[in-house]
Amino acid sequence: MTLDYENTREEIQSYITGLIKNFCSDWVVSGIIRDENQIRFSSNKIDINKNWKDLRFQLFLSNKRRTLEMAITDLRKTAIKETLVYCKKLLDNAKRNSFYKKLPKGPFEYIDENIKIFDKSVLELEEKSIDIIQKAIEASLQQGAKRVAGSFFFGYTDTKLQTSEDLEGSYKKTNLNFRVRAFAEDMYATGEGLSVSTHLTKYFDPVGAAEEAGEICRMAVGGKKGTPGTYNIIIYPKVSTELQAPTPAIGMNTYIKKMGLSWLAGKKEGDKIGSDIVSAWDDGTIDYGLASAPFDDEGVPMKKTLLIENGIVKNYFTNTSLSRRNAESTGNAGITIPKPTNTVFNAGDCTLEELMEISEKPTLLITSTWYTRYQSYAPPGILSSLPKDGMFLVRKNGEILEPVRELRINSNHFHMLENTLAMGKKLKQVYTWLSTSNNPVFAPFMLISDIQMTTGTK
Amino acid sequence: MKQYKDLAEFALEKSLQKPCEYAEVRIEENKSDTLSFLNGKMHIGNLPIDLTTDAFSRKIGINVRILANGGIGMATTNQLSKESVMKAIDFAYKMANKSGDQRKNPIKLSNEKTYEVSWQSKYKINPIQVPLEEKVEFIQQFLDLFNEDYPIEYLHIFVLLTEERNTYFINSDGSAISSHVPRVAFMPVIIGIQSGGKNEQLMNTYATTSGWDELMSWSILNEVRESIHTLANIITKAKRPPEGEIDLILGPRVSGIISHENCGHPHEADRIRGREGAQAGESYLRQHEVGFQIGNECVNVYDDPTEPGSYGFYLYDDEGVKARRRELIKNGKFNEMLHNRETAGFYGTKSNGAARAVSYDREPLIRMANTYFAPGDFSFEEMIEDIKLGVYMKSFTEWNIDDKRLQSKYVGQEAYLIENGEIKDLILKPALEISSIGLFSSVDAQGDQKSMQWEGAFCGKSEPGQGCPVWTGGPNIRLRNIKLARGQ
């Protein structure tokens, strides 16, 4: 199948570039082949088994500093020609994009063979995928779950990029994304576990994720409605995708900041935004990272960029056009709007048990949250977020006292970064469904102080 | 789509050569043009928010779904050759079989009437065919509003989304259905900021399937102009909300979102059964039977895909079932779930046509269409006349709800104090934090038909995500004896 699509990609990519040269001074065409599977399951049974095979072209087109982005999956040549005629008309009538300067010239050296993002064994997984799910379901049930639901994505993409500046590159990448949720009879007693990687044998542990989900679910049985008030919270790595990662992954996007739509508006490099123990990077080069790749959407090699160091703003991530004069792109194109790759937090030196022990105030252990919503994107970015699965009140000596439920986090990202007291010693890659940061995050457990928790009044 | 009917028929014929219980084929074409202006700067491309997968795109592809051995397999491709389609069929059949082996109880679909029909929404001007210059001219009127002097600063985003969806659906039962629906949505996002950092944000969605001419006939400019002034007034003049128990009037925008979040979602049968357990969540109604008293007898919440011109309009769903109004809460009782053929088969009933997909590469899932609080017969004056101390929450900003759809929060944006039956000062961010049952049990009056309003929205569900176009709606509604929190 791959060969069919590669031949088609060659033919169509050549057809597209041939046409757009006639009306664009600057262009980028990426042909992306995808072969991906998803198995969804619930109530311990498989609900559906899916496969997507497609070829799409992502186009950036510019003429006289007018710009547009277009995605094409309609592969008929007549349709492509019609679409490109329409694109020309759009460009002729568009206003100039004052943020757009140029495409990068290169030459660049791409080091795809050095980044671990492709594992051939993922391509041969089809027959084994149901066994993986069955084992995970059983593991969760053994931990005490009554029902288990989840989703297992696996597959690969093959990207070929060409630009008007004669940059050309290609890479293949695999992905594994397993998420499992365990349920007890008690409606509020649930637990979630996840495991993501690019390689089957590296950091991919679906059974471990299912055991974690089952254990949280079992421990949450019999919980009581929590008392509203101010608590310290200890968050699981995946909770960072809602509470901590949005600052480096969204707030530190140059475009969003320029537009004033970041809660970091007004904060410059050198400003303090978090506690001394918080550092974060955007890292498109990290091994097994779901967003790692040799190059970004305009052909610049992906990099590791320090965004926050010991609570101080060091950089905002950017593309070529939005980078400062004499500064380089951080390898985060989106050509018109930059995008994050993998957000990586620093690790600390505490185990989860130690985090629970050192917290001096009433403390909640929060295993997941969802539905984070903002009153406004302007500073300070006031939000609330809902703990979804098992949540536990922790005794001062570090023991779990009891499961609690029906409490809502009310805070803002500054407060949470400034009040981060301690970090766990181990990073975990997390990528969760519908998360606010919407990118892969490598995060440890974190202890954050003085978070307001509220509950319903009726 | 005509040229692909043969391919769809080929795919169905080949699918039926496999020993399967059911097969369906959907060929779908989607066009999307999303023009946006961010602080006055024109942007033709993807946005940092997920409204659609691709802001500007041209897509077409085929989706084959097969039920065999009690399991379901689905395969999609945009290589529209017989060879690629055969591979998709082979995969869908093979994986359906394997999934069936893992299940102890086979999936059974409800038996449904078949249709050979072609349908579309009624419109004069297809929004996607409107020239760029005209779209820019439309948005420019809104940008010009910011040339005036205001006591605060504004950030603003205007997004104009135009789409067209064409489908051809056939299944092994004998249905053959073509559809054509153009859509347009206009979304102003405005943030008012006072020096010193106090700020307030509004985000509205005006959306229809009745064409560009319909959108142009609405008085959106006046509404946005008024909202800009209101934002300034909220920031500079609003006072603290009252404490203790009060009565609360919720405006149509708020009653609309409540009908969607607190009623529509928990009535989805896939959530009740647990199929969305790892994604959008389950439902508190899992613990209750149809007939359970959710709220006061005056509460009626419906969902109706056939509402003409609505953003969630359709006449046949993506499993070929004829659409109809669903009466979710009737006289305060849990009356009906939203069903597709799989859940209807499980519960031994008929589908009520709630299966929707947003593109060829997505499975049809149980979705709302246009969900609303049914109006009552109270005028606004009648609703507030006996309120000694209350709040009128006309619109909302931050909101969320747990994944069982029980514990919800709505923070007011434009909100007023009510004293002795009269609307008084603006108040700042009153927060309603309440359970669904607590909320519906507190409703004692619904505004009349005159106060009924609709709002466009994109309903998020499933994995991979499907942002489904919907309307939410309602009249003013009154809640008694509510204790408010103050938003931060």
Side-chain angles (χ1 to χ4, degrees):
Chain A
M1 121 62 203
T2 311
L3 194 60
D4 294 350
Y5 275 69
E6 281 177 5
N7 290 339
T8 308
R9 179 174 64 185
E10 288 305 311
E11 185 190 337
I12 295 179
Q13 196 147 346
S14 167
Y15 180 69
I16 290 173
T17 53
L19 289 173
I20 60 179
K21 281 173 184 169
N22 296 325
F23 63 95
C24 295
S25 56
D26 301 3
W27 52 265
V28 180
V29 178
S30 293
I32 304 157
I33 297 166
R34 173 177 67 143
D35 187 346
E36 191 170 29
N37 300 275
Q38 182 199 26
I39 305 176
R40 283 181 56 151
F41 53 100
S42 67
S43 302
N44 312 332
K45 298 177 192 74
I46 290 172
D47 292 315
I48 189 164
N49 199 323
K50 305 178 197 170
N51 174 262
W52 297 274
K53 285 185 177 66
D54 52 40
L55 166 61
R56 57 179 268 138
F57 292 92
Q58 188 66 47
L59 277 56
F60 168 81
L61 306 175
S62 174
N63 195 33
K64 297 177 183 168
R65 293 186 69 179
R66 295 167 171 88
T67 64
L68 73 82
E69 293 167 326
M70 170 69 79
I72 296 176
T73 65
D74 188 338
L75 304 180
R76 296 170 293 172
K77 283 192 176 170
T78 49
I80 291 169
K81 193 169 180 182
E82 194 179 302
T83 301
L84 294 179
V85 167
Y86 178 61
C87 286
K88 180 182 182 313
K89 205 171 158 191
L90 283 175
L91 280 180
D92 288 345
N93 290 287
K95 296 189 177 188
R96 284 170 194 258
N97 178 350
S98 58
F99 284 158
Y100 177 69
K101 291 181 198 157
K102 58 186 177 183
L103 288 173
K105 285 196 182 303
F108 298 117
E109 196 176 328
Y110 301 135
I111 47 166
D112 63 323
E113 66 274 18
N114 294 333
I115 305 177
K116 294 186 176 65
I117 56 171
F118 182 76
D119 174 9
K120 206 171 65 177
S121 57
V122 174
L123 310 185
E124 293 146 10
L125 196 53
E126 188 179 291
E127 299 295 325
K128 298 172 202 154
S129 55
I130 290 177
D131 291 342
I132 288 174
I133 286 169
Q134 189 59 41
K135 280 179 187 156
I137 290 171
E138 281 161 15
S140 220
L141 293 174
Q142 275 177 11
Q143 287 294 324
K146 297 292 177 207
R147 293 178 292 116
V148 186
S151 165
F152 181 22
F153 280 97
F154 58 96
Y156 85 98
T157 54
D158 176 342
T159 301
K160 181 183 175 185
L161 170 139
Q162 289 175 281
T163 83
S164 52
E165 297 298 332
D166 293 329
L167 296 180
E168 192 167 327
S170 63
Y171 63 89
K172 289 185 169 71
K173 187 168 152 180
T174 45
N175 68 83
L176 296 151
N177 183 346
F178 185 86
R179 203 155 45 73
V180 58
R181 196 143 181 249
F183 297 80
E185 292 296 334
D186 174 353
M187 183 175 73
Y188 278 94
T190 58
E192 188 180 53
L194 58 87
S195 183
V196 298
S197 182
T198 57
H199 284 57
L200 259 180
T201 52
K202 290 287 180 184
Y203 309 110
F204 185 63
D205 181 12
V207 168
E211 284 173 345
E212 181 177 280
E215 186 185 13
I216 294 169
C217 159
R218 185 190 70 235
M219 288 165 62
V221 171
K224 293 176 187 146
K225 185 172 179 174
T227 308
T230 303
Y231 293 86
N232 286 357
I233 61 172
I234 296 167
I235 60 172
Y236 269 50
K238 63 175 172 282
V239 180
S240 278
T241 62
E242 295 294 317
L243 303 186
Q244 298 283 53
T247 296
I250 301 171
M252 305 191 86
N253 183 325
T254 305
Y255 185 92
I256 292 175
K257 181 174 178 273
K258 264 182 186 281
M259 283 293 154
L261 296 169
S262 163
W263 46 91
L264 294 179
K267 298 286 181 190
K268 300 185 197 70
E269 283 88 340
D271 287 349
K272 183 91 168 155
I273 60 162
S275 82
D276 290 346
I277 64 158
V278 177
S279 296
W281 294 260
D282 180 273
D283 190 352
T285 68
I286 194 166
D287 286 343
Y288 318 115
L290 288 186
S292 296
F295 50 81
D296 68 8
D297 287 359
E298 56 185 1
V300 171
M302 284 200 180
K303 295 171 186 171
K304 180 178 182 179
T305 305
L306 180 61
L307 302 175
I308 302 169
E309 185 177 41
N310 302 329
I312 293 168
V313 175
K314 299 305 283 186
N315 286 293
Y316 284 80
F317 65 82
T318 187
N319 57 19
T320 297
S321 283
L322 290 168
S323 59
R324 288 185 182 155
R325 191 173 292 174
N326 301 325
E328 287 184 346
S329 164
T330 56
N332 287 92
I335 303 171
T336 49
I337 301 181
K339 56 189 184 187
T341 61
N342 308 289
T343 298
V344 182
F345 285 94
N346 60 302
D349 51 10
C350 294
T351 63
L352 173 60
E353 292 70 27
E354 285 164 348
L355 290 174
M356 292 197 289
E357 277 172 25
I358 62 174
S359 181
E360 292 182 343
K361 293 180 182 168
T363 301
L364 293 170
L365 178 61
I366 296 175
T367 64
S368 76
T369 67
W370 87 323
Y371 225 131
T372 303
R373 288 290 184 276
Y374 297 84
Q375 284 177 20
S376 165
Y377 298 124
I382 294 169
L383 60 85
S384 69
S385 187
L386 271 159
K388 190 175 69 167
D389 296 296
M391 175 166 53
F392 306 96
L393 190 61
V394 176
R395 210 191 277 274
K396 204 177 168 186
N397 65 4
E399 284 174 16
I400 288 176
L401 183 65
E402 61 182 1
V404 291
R405 49 188 62 170
E406 296 181 62
L407 287 172
R408 178 181 269 103
I409 297 163
N410 292 265
S411 191
N412 67 70
H413 290 302
F414 281 127
H415 179 87
M416 289 185 282
L417 282 175
E418 283 168 354
N419 286 27
T420 304
L421 299 181
M423 312 285 263
K425 59 166 60 165
K426 202 173 157 193
L427 296 183
K428 180 173 181 179
Q429 182 177 194
V430 287
Y431 181 60
T432 68
W433 177 78
L434 271 191
S435 73
T436 300
S437 63
N438 200 24
N439 70 324
V441 175
F442 289 72
F445 288 98
M446 295 187 199
L447 169 62
I448 308 169
S449 70
D450 299 314
I451 300 296
Q452 190 196 350
M453 306 293 293
T454 57
T455 190
T457 57
K458 207 167 185 179
Chain B
M1 299 296 289
K2 274 183 190 167
Q3 67 268 42
Y4 290 116
K5 286 190 175 179
D6 288 349
L7 187 67
E9 276 150 22
F10 167 82
L12 185 63
E13 186 192 323
K14 292 295 175 190
S15 298
L16 292 177
Q17 286 173 5
K18 312 274 186 191
C20 64
E21 291 101 74
Y22 172 81
E24 70 181 26
V25 178
R26 174 166 42 95
I27 295 191
E28 178 164 345
E29 179 187 36
N30 299 87
K31 298 175 185 172
S32 171
D33 285 7
T34 304
L35 176 66
S36 42
F37 279 79
L38 294 94
N39 291 334
K41 289 180 188 298
M42 185 175 178
H43 176 70
I44 309 180
N46 291 329
L47 288 162
I49 45 174
D50 278 340
L51 285 175
T52 54
T53 313
D54 296 299
F56 269 77
S57 58
R58 298 293 180 268
K59 296 169 81 170
I60 191 167
I62 188 167
N63 181 312
V64 178
R65 219 162 53 120
I66 291 175
L67 173 61
N69 187 30
I72 292 181
M74 181 189 104
T76 78
T77 179
N78 67 333
Q79 284 264 46
L80 295 178
S81 64
K82 287 186 175 176
E83 192 189 351
S84 290
V85 168
M86 277 307 299
K87 285 177 183 167
I89 292 164
D90 288 343
F91 177 90
Y93 171 71
K94 185 171 76 176
M95 297 320 281
N97 242 319
K98 283 190 177 294
S99 303
D101 286 344
Q102 192 269 347
R103 296 182 63 90
K104 285 189 182 122
N105 52 344
I107 292 170
K108 285 181 183 161
L109 303 183
S110 58
N111 290 320
E112 301 292 343
K113 203 173 162 186
T114 60
Y115 300 92
E116 287 185 49
V117 67
S118 181
W119 65 274
Q120 66 166 78
S121 64
K122 284 185 184 166
Y123 67 93
K124 284 184 189 153
I125 301 170
N126 186 341
I128 206 157
Q129 289 171 1
V130 172
L132 180 71
E133 306 89 289
E134 199 175 329
K135 290 176 179 170
V136 172
E137 199 179 311
F138 169 68
I139 297 179
Q140 188 61 48
Q141 307 171 81
F142 295 88
L143 301 179
D144 291 344
L145 294 174
F146 297 97
N147 295 332
E148 296 171 27
D149 283 335
Y150 298 101
I152 59 169
E153 300 289 319
Y154 291 98
L155 303 172
H156 46 88
I157 303 173
F158 292 95
V159 180
L160 180 63
L161 189 154
T162 53
E163 288 178 311
E164 183 181 314
R165 180 181 193 239
N166 302 304
T167 63
Y168 180 62
F169 169 92
I170 50 176
N171 68 11
S172 52
D173 297 339
S175 281
I177 301 172
S178 301
S179 75
H180 165 69
V181 180
R183 287 196 172 89
V184 59
F186 179 60
M187 289 160 278
V189 181
I190 303 170
I191 304 174
I193 304 176
Q194 192 179 38
S195 58
K198 213 169 158 189
N199 57 70
E200 192 70 30
Q201 176 173 304
L202 83 82
M203 188 158 29
N204 294 335
T205 303
Y206 304 88
T208 181
T209 51
S210 277
W212 179 254
D213 41 308
E214 174 68 14
L215 188 82
M216 291 304 103
S217 72
W218 296 350
S219 57
I220 305 173
L221 187 65
N222 284 339
E223 218 175 283
V224 172
R225 180 185 287 120
E226 208 173 291
S227 298
I228 292 170
H229 287 286
T230 304
L231 278 181
N233 286 335
I234 295 168
I235 290 170
T236 57
K237 296 177 183 166
K239 297 176 177 171
R240 288 178 70 93
E243 291 176 1
E245 278 202 350
I246 55 120
D247 294 331
L248 180 64
I249 309 279
L250 301 176
R253 284 208 158 99
V254 192
S255 66
I257 187 81
I258 286 171
S259 72
H260 180 98
E261 303 288 11
N262 298 68
C263 173
H265 277 305
H267 279 71
E268 292 164 345
D270 54 349
R271 299 178 74 118
I272 293 170
R273 272 205 68 199
R275 194 186 191 268
E276 276 285 314
Q279 287 83 25
E282 296 193 337
S283 166
Y284 75 93
L285 292 175
R286 184 181 174 89
Q287 299 184 324
H288 303 287
E289 301 290 325
V290 168
F292 168 68
Q293 194 76 37
I294 295 172
N296 280 346
E297 276 187 18
C298 67
V299 174
N300 294 290
V301 183
Y302 304 144
D303 183 79
D304 190 354
T306 66
E307 178 72 26
S310 60
Y311 204 41
F313 175 80
Y314 61 92
L315 294 180
Y316 296 83
D317 78 357
D318 288 316
E319 290 183 326
V321 176
K322 193 170 185 179
R324 67 163 172 86
R325 186 173 87 163
R326 285 77 68 127
E327 299 182 338
L328 306 177
I329 299 181
K330 196 170 181 185
N331 302 326
K333 286 181 177 161
F334 173 18
N335 182 65
E336 180 179 15
M337 300 178 212
L338 289 165
H339 279 298
N340 62 8
R341 292 185 65 178
E342 184 179 338
T343 59
F346 177 81
Y347 286 103
T349 184
K350 294 279 184 192
S351 168
N352 47 24
R356 300 178 71 187
V358 298
S359 66
Y360 78 88
D361 55 358
R362 296 289 189 269
E363 66 168 317
L365 290 166
I366 295 176
R367 309 306 300 263
M368 282 170 268
N370 307 297
T371 318
Y372 61 101
F373 257 96
D377 53 9
F378 281 78
S379 68
F380 186 69
E381 292 71 28
E382 287 169 335
M383 289 179 94
I384 67 167
E385 67 186 4
D386 74 340
I387 296 180
K388 286 196 169 51
L389 180 64
V391 165
Y392 172 38
M393 191 191 287
K394 192 176 173 188
S395 57
F396 67 99
T397 165
E398 169 206 335
W399 89 101
N400 52 27
I401 185 164
D402 70 14
D403 74 323
K404 293 160 280 296
R405 300 284 157 173
L406 195 54
Q407 303 295 333
S408 56
K409 180 187 183 188
Y410 299 92
V411 177
Q413 188 224 21
E414 183 181 353
Y416 299 88
L417 184 69
I418 303 171
E419 270 181 344
N420 300 318
E422 287 182 18
I423 296 288
K424 297 285 176 85
D425 298 325
L426 275 165
I427 56 167
L428 193 62
K429 296 177 180 172
L432 173 65
E433 205 165 336
I434 194 166
S435 74
S436 297
I437 293 171
L439 194 158
F440 290 121
S441 301
S442 302
V443 176
D444 82 331
Q446 279 142 313
D448 54 22
Q449 184 70 43
K450 212 169 65 179
S451 70
M452 180 82 191
Q453 282 179 27
W454 293 102
E455 171 95 11
F458 294 90
C459 171
K461 187 176 174 182
S462 193
E463 181 188 28
Q466 299 199 48
C468 211
V470 298
W471 263 0
T472 67
N476 294 306
I477 59 171
R478 183 173 64 200
L479 279 65
R480 295 290 196 186
N481 307 320
I482 296 295
K483 196 175 173 194
L484 290 177
R486 183 172 176 268
Q488 279 199 3

